[in-house]
Amino acid sequence: MASSVQDPGAKSTFRRYREGDATWRSWREAIFQAGQSHKCPTYVQRTPPCQGSCPSGEDIRGWLDIVRGLDTPSAGQAWQEYAFRRLTRANPFPAVMGRVCPAPCEKGCNRNERDDHVGINAVEQFIGDTALAAGYRFDPPVDETGKKVAVVGGGPAGLSCAYQLRRLGHRPTIIEEKPELGGMLRYGVPRYRVPAAVLDGEVRRILEMGVEVRANCRVGRDLGLDELARDYDAVFWGIGTRLGRKLPIPGADAPNCVDGIEFLRAFNAGLLSAVPKRIIVIGGGDTSIDVTTVARKLAGQDPGAPGKPLTYTADMVTAQAAFGGARVALTTIFPLENIQASPREVADARSLNVDLHGGVMPVRILLDGDGNARGVRYAPCRVEKNQPVRIDGGAEFEVDGDLVIFAVGQKGDLTGLEALNNGRDAISADALFEVPGHPGHFVGGDIVTPHLLTSAIGHGSIAAEGIDAYLAGAQPAKRPKVDKHQFDLLRALHHAGLELTDYAHDAVRGTCDAGFAVHNFDDRAEREIIKSSDLFLGHYAPEPRIERKERRLAEVFAVGGERIETLLAEQAVAEAKRCMSCGLCVECDNCVVYCPQKAVKKVPKAQHAIGRYVFTDYSRCIGCHVCHDVCPTGYIEMGLGE
Ligand SMILES: Cc1cc2nc3c(=O)[nH]c(=O)nc-3n(C[C@H](O)[C@H](O)[C@H](O)COP(=O)(O)OP(=O)(O)OC[C@H]3O[C@@H](n4cnc5c(N)ncnc54)[C@H](O)[C@@H]3O)c2cc1C
Ligand code: SF4
Ligand code: SF4
């Protein structure tokens, strides 16, 4: 490594800064200290912000590296399968998520600072759809523990937990009230957003690992807590929030005021009777958009012969393009520019000519002489701390409607499970998703806090690790600050057919003699997320994002088919190549090419693995920082691991 030319005998120290020093005092000082420097390159892995923003913690950079061809599969395996297996370590639902996840990962993506985020969600859908088409299956575990776990609720949280438990060798049984699994994905999210074949395919793959199912069984009614305790070694609660809420305004209990969850459940079951022509939806979030679009789809359809129970199936109404002069209004307390629902969903509603009213609060339901709702009276409002506040002097107005649907939130149904109710119709969880005061009982998903599918999947996965520790009688490991599925250098070496050699860590630390992995590799992924300011963004030429073909809902309703088309393989590869590989070597050769001392070299091909592409000859390094400055991914730090 670089050493003092003035005083070769001086003791090397890696510490040139006082505690609390965070920035360079001068550029000269950053590089040289009295003509020499000990600040040679070190290789630091950090978590990219896409992964940091994905609630199920997918190793996004990892599977994008596979799709782009940087990380190659073992002989005989297709890259599509390799990518699928990397992705599904965290999330067994890529085809579903690729369609309905609002993709917080894309908001976090560092590429937003260059031109536009990477189309992570689109590549995820490609991986999921390819896997379904190719029939990839999950392997059953190699070792069985024989431990039985009751997973109550077969929604995304329960399915994710059962999947991870099975991977760990346990025997989960999903106990589900409904005849089929999927939770809100099956009974809430409309079918035109997630086709049944896609959902069925991804659920079936989990069950085929050896996950048992007990359907049509409601815990708390058909099965008691004492029976769970008797028959199982641990319990996971993923029972979601199946009850819709109504607003406490006068008239809300009129018979034609319903909640959105019941409305969608009936639609997805293919059974929805008497949908009138004028419908008012009160909401503003994604659920209310689903309610609105379904209402728009059904409103004004021919109700059939009088006196006959009405049955609409999705296919019947899909065949009809005309909306029969029906009017559907969606109202929200938020100004329309701040509506909570995702822009894609709002655009869908607009494409269906839904009347959108923002910044208004319902003050009462207007009733006719028979006590049925005939409309809603509104007042203009602003939102403070998520609550509507009436604007003084704002004129009230009325919207006419024959059906009022509340889509303003959900709550859990803990009938028969009162011991678990935290008083807010929810179940509390600690940091490891164990229920406080109920050892062996874990929980996740909407029943903890209603959020997204990806959050429920993440909860299920973390809870499975907690259950695993509980079953082993071990103290569960403290969760890291950045709790995601990470790149693992040892796994990468193993994949490349390289195994570690013994070495004397203290003797070789800070030198280039440590041939065990990447010398001076520092894995900070569990505590640091790499920012765009740590990258050399100028390396990446602007490149437009490859978008999936999306059709407006009006067209989907008219002619059927999917709303979002999956990418072609070459499009997925091209899009994955836009990833900047934040926080991990992208094998661009910049550091090798630009090092003025020729101190940075490529590792021999036979020793190459992801993350181990270059090494520094410290006897040549003068600490000039050039490699650090030209590294586009922020993988090189100066300071030998400080
Ligand atoms: C209309 C709608 C649209 C949505 N759209 C999106 C979207 O586009 N993207 C997104 O990310 N999220 C969306 N969400 C949110 C997402 O669906 C939920 O966050 C997710 O389904 C929560 O999963 P879960 O497993 O916790 O609960 P659920 O999906 O509700 O599953 C719970 C399961 O437990 C079962 N159960 C309940 N009680 C019992 C009991 N006592 N015994 C046995 N079984 C029981 C239920 O029948 C159900 O199958 C939407 C939600 C709704 C309502
Ligand atoms: S699950 Fe959602 S947040 Fe996670 S990678 Fe997929 S799209 Fe992004
Ligand atoms: S550029 Fe790639 S690694 Fe970086 S945040 Fe975006 S998707 Fe993640």
Side-chain angles (χ1 to χ4, degrees):
M1 65 177 287
S3 59
S4 167
V5 282
Q6 272 97 0
D7 179 8
K11 192 167 179 260
S12 298
T13 170
F14 299 132
R15 299 215 169 269
R16 285 169 43 210
Y17 296 94
R18 288 184 295 278
E19 205 62 32
D21 279 1
T23 53
W24 299 112
R25 282 183 288 273
S26 77
W27 178 233
R28 189 172 184 286
E29 196 182 342
I31 299 177
F32 297 112
Q33 184 188 39
Q36 43 84 28
S37 168
H38 300 292
K39 293 288 175 184
C40 292
T42 183
Y43 300 92
V44 181
Q45 203 241 145
R46 295 186 177 88
T47 300
C50 54
Q51 277 167 227
S53 314
C54 170
S56 47
E58 290 184 25
D59 179 6
I60 298 169
R61 181 186 59 202
W63 51 256
L64 287 173
D65 273 352
I66 296 172
V67 174
R68 73 195 297 174
L70 195 67
D71 189 355
T72 48
S74 311
Q77 189 181 43
W79 63 262
Q80 292 89 339
E81 180 177 356
Y82 187 35
F84 165 74
R85 303 222 173 268
R86 179 69 57 83
L87 189 159
T88 52
R89 278 171 195 272
N91 186 341
F93 293 105
V96 166
M97 303 312 287
R99 286 169 171 78
V100 294
C101 185
C105 54
E106 294 183 346
K107 286 194 193 79
C109 173
N110 274 333
R111 182 106 203 185
N112 285 311
E113 302 305 317
R114 184 70 188 96
D115 43 16
D116 192 2
H117 63 80
V118 175
I120 300 168
N121 193 238
V123 182
E124 185 178 42
Q125 182 188 359
F126 167 81
I127 294 172
D129 285 0
T130 312
L132 285 174
Y136 300 147
R137 302 175 67 162
F138 294 129
D139 297 327
V142 178
D143 298 317
E144 299 280 352
T145 65
K147 299 283 185 188
K148 292 168 72 183
V149 183
V151 173
V152 187
L159 282 160
S160 161
C161 186
Y163 163 71
Q164 299 290 359
L165 285 169
R166 193 67 198 117
R167 280 164 59 98
L168 292 163
H170 305 304
R171 283 247 153 228
T173 300
I174 298 178
I175 306 170
E176 167 59 51
E177 177 184 2
K178 297 264 183 302
E180 289 184 89
L181 302 182
M184 280 299 173
L185 265 174
R186 190 175 299 278
Y187 296 106
V189 178
R191 271 300 64 75
Y192 51 77
R193 293 220 281 129
V194 181
V198 170
L199 177 57
D200 290 345
E202 296 205 321
V203 170
R204 194 181 317 118
R205 205 164 46 201
I206 295 174
L207 302 186
E208 284 170 354
M209 295 169 80
V211 172
E212 285 165 30
V213 179
R214 191 166 164 190
N216 299 307
C217 176
R218 177 172 171 76
V219 178
R221 183 191 63 200
D222 309 320
L223 196 65
L225 288 177
D226 46 343
E227 288 160 290
L228 289 184
R230 186 193 64 207
D231 297 339
Y232 297 95
D233 300 300
V235 183
F236 174 78
W237 296 94
I239 56 177
T241 47
R242 59 187 221 104
L243 299 179
R245 290 181 194 271
K246 287 187 186 176
L247 291 176
I249 54 173
D253 50 4
N256 55 342
C257 286
V258 300
D259 77 66
I261 298 300
E262 275 309 319
F263 180 79
L264 289 172
R265 203 172 278 145
F267 172 69
N268 280 329
L271 185 74
L272 201 54
S273 23
V275 180
K277 279 193 172 186
R278 298 177 311 167
I279 300 175
I280 300 170
V281 182
I282 299 171
D286 282 322
T287 303
S288 72
I289 300 276
D290 282 341
V291 171
T292 305
T293 50
V294 167
R296 190 71 186 87
K297 185 176 164 91
L298 298 181
Q301 305 292 334
D302 177 9
K308 198 174 158 215
L310 299 176
T311 303
Y312 288 106
T313 66
D315 289 341
M316 276 167 60
V317 288
T318 300
Q320 301 185 38
F323 293 111
R327 293 211 71 80
V328 177
L330 170 64
T331 72
T332 166
I333 56 172
F334 293 94
L336 288 183
E337 59 277 15
N338 293 343
I339 193 167
Q340 294 155 301
S342 62
R344 183 197 281 161
E345 311 303 335
V346 178
D348 273 340
R350 285 189 198 281
S351 79
L352 294 172
N353 293 328
V354 167
D355 298 332
L356 295 167
H357 301 270
V360 296
M361 59 187 283
V363 288
R364 65 167 56 247
I365 305 294
L366 303 164
L367 302 177
D368 65 15
D370 297 327
N372 290 319
R374 62 167 180 82
V376 181
R377 190 166 183 80
Y378 288 94
C381 71
R382 61 178 184 279
V383 179
E384 283 177 15
K385 294 187 181 149
N386 254 357
Q387 294 299 319
V389 179
R390 247 183 115 128
I391 294 175
D392 288 341
E396 292 189 2
F397 65 99
E398 294 177 2
V399 178
D400 294 335
D402 309 310
L403 175 66
V404 178
I405 307 173
F406 287 93
V408 291
Q410 293 124 249
K411 58 180 179 176
D413 180 358
L414 291 160
T415 313
L417 304 171
E418 287 75 11
L420 297 164
N421 195 333
N422 64 10
R424 297 185 299 276
D425 296 319
I427 303 179
S428 298
D430 67 14
L432 302 165
F433 290 93
E434 193 164 13
V435 184
H438 295 266
H441 288 253
F442 292 75
V443 62
D446 278 9
I447 191 64
V448 179
T449 331
H451 197 229
L452 299 173
L453 295 161
T454 176
S455 313
I457 290 163
H459 293 181
S461 168
I462 295 174
E465 287 183 35
I467 293 171
D468 185 53
Y470 172 82
L471 293 174
Q475 197 59 28
K478 198 168 169 272
R479 304 302 306 188
K481 189 171 147 202
V482 181
D483 196 355
K484 309 289 167 187
H485 291 250
Q486 303 287 4
F487 167 75
D488 178 349
L489 179 64
L490 297 188
R491 198 177 60 214
L493 289 173
H494 182 73
H495 177 73
L498 302 163
E499 297 303 340
L500 299 188
T501 49
D502 285 339
Y503 71 101
H505 181 77
D506 290 338
V508 297
R509 181 178 183 273
T511 74
C512 45
D513 299 329
F516 45 94
V518 179
H519 53 209
N520 300 309
F521 175 73
D522 188 355
D523 188 354
R524 297 188 201 162
E526 291 195 340
R527 50 186 208 280
E528 292 181 15
I529 291 181
I530 189 152
K531 302 187 291 289
S532 60
S533 54
D534 296 327
L535 309 179
F536 171 35
L537 290 176
H539 173 82
Y540 301 96
E543 191 80 47
R545 179 160 54 86
I546 298 170
E547 301 208 41
R548 287 172 284 190
K549 257 198 210 140
E550 288 190 33
R551 294 185 302 144
R552 293 269 64 91
L553 262 191
E555 186 191 339
V556 174
F557 286 179
V559 295
E562 280 240 48
R563 191 176 57 139
I564 308 176
E565 281 182 21
T566 195
L567 296 177
L568 301 170
E570 56 271 25
Q571 291 176 311
V573 172
E575 188 53 26
K577 282 184 178 165
R578 289 184 66 244
C579 169
M580 304 189 296
S581 187
C582 310
L584 186 66
C585 178
V586 74
E587 305 189 1
C588 67
D589 289 349
N590 275 5
C591 52
V592 180
V593 170
Y594 289 104
C595 173
Q597 287 294 106
K598 299 205 182 322
V600 185
K601 301 189 172 91
K602 284 200 226 179
V603 296
K605 218 171 172 188
Q607 291 173 24
H608 164 254
I610 293 292
R612 187 211 232 186
Y613 181 67
V614 291
F615 74 100
T616 311
D617 178 348
Y618 288 124
S619 64
R620 301 181 72 96
C621 174
I622 56 166
C624 72
H625 277 228
V626 169
C627 57
H628 163 79
D629 290 346
V630 297
C631 174
T633 70
Y635 187 50
I636 300 178
E637 286 270 304
M638 302 306 285
L640 288 175
E642 278 190 324

